Amino acid sequence: MFLTPSLSTNAITYLQSLKVPTQVKDGLDYLEQLRESIILLSLYKINFPDDWNHSKSPVLNFNFNSVHSLRELEFFDLVNERLFPICQNGFELDERLSFIPFIPQNFDWYSLSIDEFEPIEQFLICLYDSSYLQTSWKEHFGINPSDVLTVEQIDWQKLQSLCQTVPEPLSYLYDVMSIIDHSTGNIWLDATLESSIYLEWNQDNIDILTQDWQEALKLKTAFWELKQWLQTEIANQLTLINLWNLAQKDESFSNTA
């Protein structure tokens, strides 16, 4: 019986993977890979015990097209489906990593042209940073507010309190502006693509990312609902600006700042 070229190549690759390292560097690389595999498989068993018990995927690396075993790849899929997003936006697991492949989920508005955003997103960004307003509010958005405070004039705690007194979705203004400001306290929304965040595969980091992802989904929904509300009537944009202006810093605060 003869092996086809592809099967023969795979068999040779597998046999080579079973060779005991004879060089110090190869031995250290092997031990590091083994350590990382143990960590991933342990986390799989802890976070998805039922899936682990019913899995038929091999623990060892029999997948010749990947640096990870099929059981490890299964774990990545489960994390992506049930806990938080990984391996998205072009990120490929084509090398073994000791850290979680983390991709921020907020837009970096300051690194893009204002024209690259939807009209309502442009409105909110210009409210946050008037330097992005290329013409006038009337010409750009069809509204003519008597006054629009700059972000430096806003008391954020006051804005948060005011938002608690108005109905939804206007009450989401504080959260939405915090998203634009990257100051939500949520790692998924505050980090940018320029951030260097390396989170090791461990249970604490999985718990943090899972909890923050659920909160990020709520904040993203609030953003969407506020955008929809602003689009329904142009008067809603003026109502939002009025609420924004009410959060002006007190003079006594400004004088001591």
Side-chain angles (χ1 to χ4, degrees):
M1 180 178 180
F2 294 94
L3 294 173
T4 62
S6 59
L7 289 176
S8 177
T9 300
N10 285 344
I12 292 172
T13 301
Y14 174 61
L15 289 174
Q16 289 177 338
S17 70
L18 298 179
K19 292 173 58 179
V20 177
T22 58
Q23 303 294 324
V24 174
K25 182 181 183 305
D26 293 339
L28 292 175
D29 290 342
Y30 172 78
L31 291 174
E32 179 62 21
Q33 179 174 323
L34 182 61
R35 184 189 71 86
E36 292 171 358
S37 292
I38 291 173
I39 291 174
L40 291 174
L41 296 173
S42 298
L43 291 171
Y44 184 159
K45 193 172 184 179
I46 291 171
N47 289 276
F48 310 105
D50 291 339
D51 297 272
W52 173 271
N53 291 332
H54 291 91
S55 177
K56 303 300 182 183
S57 299
V59 174
L60 298 178
N61 190 5
F62 295 110
N63 182 6
F64 302 106
N65 296 318
S66 173
V67 295
H68 293 277
S69 71
L70 292 177
R71 189 73 68 100
E72 291 171 354
L73 293 175
E74 204 170 74
F75 170 63
F76 295 145
D77 287 339
L78 289 169
V79 171
N80 193 58
E81 292 170 6
R82 302 182 191 176
L83 301 183
F84 51 82
I86 60 173
C87 313
Q88 294 184 347
N89 297 338
F91 192 97
E92 299 293 340
L93 287 171
D94 55 0
E95 63 180 42
R96 297 198 63 86
L97 299 176
S98 60
F99 56 87
I100 300 172
F102 171 81
I103 303 294
Q105 299 295 306
N106 197 355
F107 55 84
D108 299 340
W109 58 269
Y110 47 81
S111 63
L112 300 173
S113 167
I114 191 69
D115 297 328
E116 297 182 59
F117 295 97
E118 299 174 7
I120 291 300
E121 291 175 341
Q122 294 180 26
F123 167 78
L124 291 167
I125 291 172
C126 287
L127 182 61
Y128 175 82
D129 187 347
S130 58
S131 66
Y132 279 81
L133 187 64
Q134 299 173 349
T135 55
S136 65
W137 287 96
K138 177 69 173 177
E139 185 175 344
H140 199 137
F141 300 108
I143 59 176
N144 191 26
S146 58
D147 187 29
V148 179
L149 298 183
T150 65
V151 68
E152 291 79 14
Q153 296 174 286
I154 296 298
D155 182 335
W156 285 86
Q157 290 186 343
K158 190 174 182 180
L159 178 63
Q160 185 178 29
S161 298
L162 287 169
C163 286
Q164 295 172 355
T165 67
V166 297
E168 299 175 355
L170 179 59
S171 61
Y172 299 147
L173 175 60
Y174 174 82
D175 290 334
V176 168
M177 291 313 236
S178 296
I179 292 175
I180 294 175
D181 187 54
H182 290 264
S183 61
T184 64
N186 188 294
I187 189 172
W188 293 102
L189 300 178
D190 292 351
T192 69
L193 292 176
E194 297 177 354
S195 304
S196 297
I197 297 180
Y198 298 97
L199 298 171
E200 293 184 350
W201 279 108
N202 60 52
Q203 192 58 49
D204 286 343
N205 287 337
I206 287 179
D207 291 342
I208 291 172
L209 290 175
T210 300
Q211 181 178 343
D212 270 24
W213 177 242
Q214 293 304 312
E215 183 62 27
L217 291 176
K218 295 178 183 178
L219 291 170
K220 287 162 71 76
T221 298
F223 200 142
W224 182 85
E225 291 183 4
L226 183 62
K227 288 198 304 180
Q228 294 298 111
W229 180 75
L230 289 170
Q231 290 174 337
T232 56
E233 292 184 37
I234 199 167
N236 290 342
Q237 298 178 26
L238 292 172
T239 300
L240 184 141
I241 290 177
N242 289 336
L243 178 62
W244 173 258
N245 288 340
L246 287 175
Q248 183 176 13
K249 292 176 180 177
D250 295 333
E251 285 189 17
S252 57
F253 179 89
S254 299
N255 291 335
T256 57

